[in-house]
Amino acid sequence: QWNVRECGSIVPKGEWEVGITHEQMQQAAALAGLPNGMMFPSSVPGRTNLWQRVPLGVVGVIAPWNFPLFLAMRSVAPALALGNAVLLKPDLQSAVTGGALIARLVEDAGLPPGVLQVLPGGPATGDAVVRHPCVNMVSFTGSTRAGTAVAAAAAPTVKRVAQELGGKSANILLDDVDFEKAVAGGVQSCFANSGQSCNAPTRMLVEQSVYDEAVAIAARVAKAAKLGDPMDKGPHYGPVVSKAHYDKIQGLIQVGIDEGAQLVAGGTGRADGFDRGYYVKPTVFAGVHNKMRIAQEEVFGPVLVLIPFKDEADAIAIANDSPYGLYAYVQTGDMDRARRVSRLMRAGGVSVNGTSQDYMAPFGGYKQSGNGREYGEFGVRDFLEIKSISGFRTA
């Protein structure tokens, strides 16, 4: 319920977040049991070497508001499990869900005092965490603009920085797919959490021969989208997080209109029937080309653009023509085609035919979507140093 009160998230999303956070904590605990080191051969006869994995020391975690519990704990849990102390700076918009509740959880679990410290505050607090010489590494999740500032602030102390930043994920629909299912699913995935997801499939790329059909389906699904009270359990979308964010989304919808994109669903202004709460109309633009701002900038709201392509090579070129590279989607009835296209997508992860994300698989971005990886064995590497010890003599 705190997630609902702070961020406007709907109850089913909050329930999902609790479940996946529990899964991440179990995963971190299991990964803590990986071998701590190994002997390996030396180039010098009669000697052998040892490599060890050792904790970094103090890890600063700067977490966002859109999935405040999950996106904090996916860094906090492995950092703690691997022997580090953590300074957690939650976003002010989710300081209870992503900060105070986590502090209570670890206190109840018996973690020694001071091993995890929660520092609620604004940009100045985050900047202090990043710049402090006793902080050995920073894990940051947020916008690309904020991520560049974090990297610059960390540079004087040459500390490690792992970042999961913005996205503008392409969703390629090839002509051999079940269009009704693929388009509807793509629209719904784009609008999930009211569009406030970094890996949302916000650019739907459709083969020219079936483009008009896809536009009609997308418009119909968007117009039928149900908005409602976040406390209700039914399938619906809630408001966005704040007035400032609502205003940003409204500005980018207007940019799309001014650029000449065809508005086929939604538009500016509060959603019909909602005079309270920052409810954005689920919006779909057609007639979009990839150079438009609406196709290049992350909106972080329920706004979808449909872009036509000529052939497979054109689709891949359009998908990769983005400053971002966090995630991508491919829809096709031919698995060989899916593999071929997936390999050529410049993104950290690819979903084939609507497959949900696997939280044991590595997750992270190319280009301005960040660096480092989360989840599974890859997700622990950023929180460890590798030390080699040479000079042991063999018998």
Side-chain angles (χ1 to χ4, degrees):
Q1 291 188 3
W2 276 110
N3 200 192
V4 176
R5 294 173 183 174
E6 288 189 301
C7 304
S9 300
I10 62 172
V11 168
K13 178 261 188 182
E15 293 172 342
W16 171 88
E17 192 170 350
V18 169
I20 196 64
T21 301
H22 181 253
E23 180 182 313
Q24 286 296 299
M25 294 172 72
Q26 289 182 312
Q27 184 185 113
L31 290 168
L34 290 174
N36 190 43
M38 184 178 296
M39 303 299 291
F40 63 98
S42 169
S43 59
V44 178
R47 292 184 182 177
T48 189
N49 301 308
L50 170 69
W51 68 260
Q52 286 185 314
R53 302 189 310 168
V54 297
L56 287 168
V58 179
V59 173
V61 176
I62 302 177
W65 50 261
N66 57 325
F67 292 89
L69 183 64
F70 168 45
L71 295 184
M73 288 304 295
R74 75 172 180 182
S75 293
V76 170
L80 291 176
L82 295 167
N84 299 284
V86 174
L87 297 177
L88 168 62
K89 207 292 285 185
D91 193 282
L92 277 177
Q93 294 179 113
S94 56
V96 174
T97 311
L101 290 179
I102 291 173
R104 174 62 62 83
L105 284 172
V106 298
E107 183 179 43
D108 291 347
L111 196 71
V115 177
L116 171 67
Q117 298 186 51
V118 177
L119 306 174
T125 304
D127 187 68
V129 171
V130 175
R131 293 182 183 277
H132 201 287
C134 290
V135 174
N136 305 102
M137 180 259 185
V138 174
S139 173
F140 174 80
T141 304
S143 69
T144 298
R145 178 184 57 80
T148 58
V150 167
T157 49
V158 200
K159 57 172 55 76
R160 185 179 302 176
V161 178
Q163 299 180 314
E164 195 251 278
L165 306 177
K168 193 72 178 179
S169 300
N171 182 11
I172 297 177
L173 274 63
L174 298 169
D175 61 357
D176 58 357
V177 75
D178 179 342
F179 257 75
E180 184 72 34
K181 179 180 178 181
V183 174
V187 174
Q188 291 160 358
S189 293
C190 175
F191 293 168
N193 198 33
S194 300
Q196 299 168 125
S197 302
C198 53
N199 60 345
T202 50
R203 288 186 297 153
M204 185 177 288
L205 279 52
V206 183
E207 204 146 353
Q208 186 71 66
S209 61
V210 288
Y211 182 76
D212 291 342
E213 178 187 351
V215 169
I217 296 169
R220 186 177 74 246
V221 173
K223 290 174 182 177
K226 181 182 177 183
L227 284 74
D229 188 328
M231 292 299 293
D232 292 343
K233 284 187 172 288
H236 63 283
Y237 305 110
V240 297
V241 67
S242 66
K243 182 180 187 303
H245 192 53
Y246 172 87
D247 289 343
K248 177 207 167 190
I249 295 168
Q250 296 300 307
L252 284 169
I253 293 174
Q254 187 61 53
V255 164
I257 295 169
D258 295 343
E259 286 181 317
Q262 180 188 358
L263 189 67
V264 296
T268 56
R270 262 198 181 93
D272 297 339
F274 293 90
D275 57 357
R276 294 181 60 202
Y278 300 109
Y279 286 87
V280 176
K281 297 175 184 176
T283 297
V284 176
F285 282 106
V288 177
H289 62 77
N290 206 47
K291 297 302 181 184
M292 291 179 172
R293 280 182 62 192
I294 201 70
Q296 288 289 314
E297 294 187 23
E298 183 178 39
V299 179
F300 221 60
V303 179
L304 175 69
V305 300
L306 280 88
I307 303 172
F309 65 83
K310 293 177 293 186
D311 53 28
E312 190 177 295
D314 189 37
I316 295 165
I318 293 170
N320 290 339
D321 181 18
S322 169
Y324 299 109
L326 183 61
Y327 215 67
Y329 301 77
V330 178
Q331 317 271 358
T332 176
D334 183 339
M335 290 309 296
D336 288 335
R337 203 177 186 190
R339 293 186 188 95
R340 182 171 66 245
V341 173
S342 297
R343 289 191 190 102
L344 296 173
M345 307 257 309
R346 294 282 298 164
V350 182
S351 164
V352 176
N353 292 336
T355 301
S356 60
Q357 187 178 330
D358 186 333
Y359 291 97
M360 282 296 288
F363 178 79
Y366 284 25
K367 299 183 281 187
Q368 292 184 29
S369 288
N371 51 63
R373 291 296 181 266
E374 309 276 0
Y375 315 136
E377 186 175 351
F378 287 91
V380 305
R381 295 180 179 180
D382 286 328
F383 303 110
L384 293 165
E385 288 284 15
I386 300 297
K387 177 187 291 186
S388 65
I389 304 174
S390 301
F392 296 101
R393 293 189 176 277
T394 57

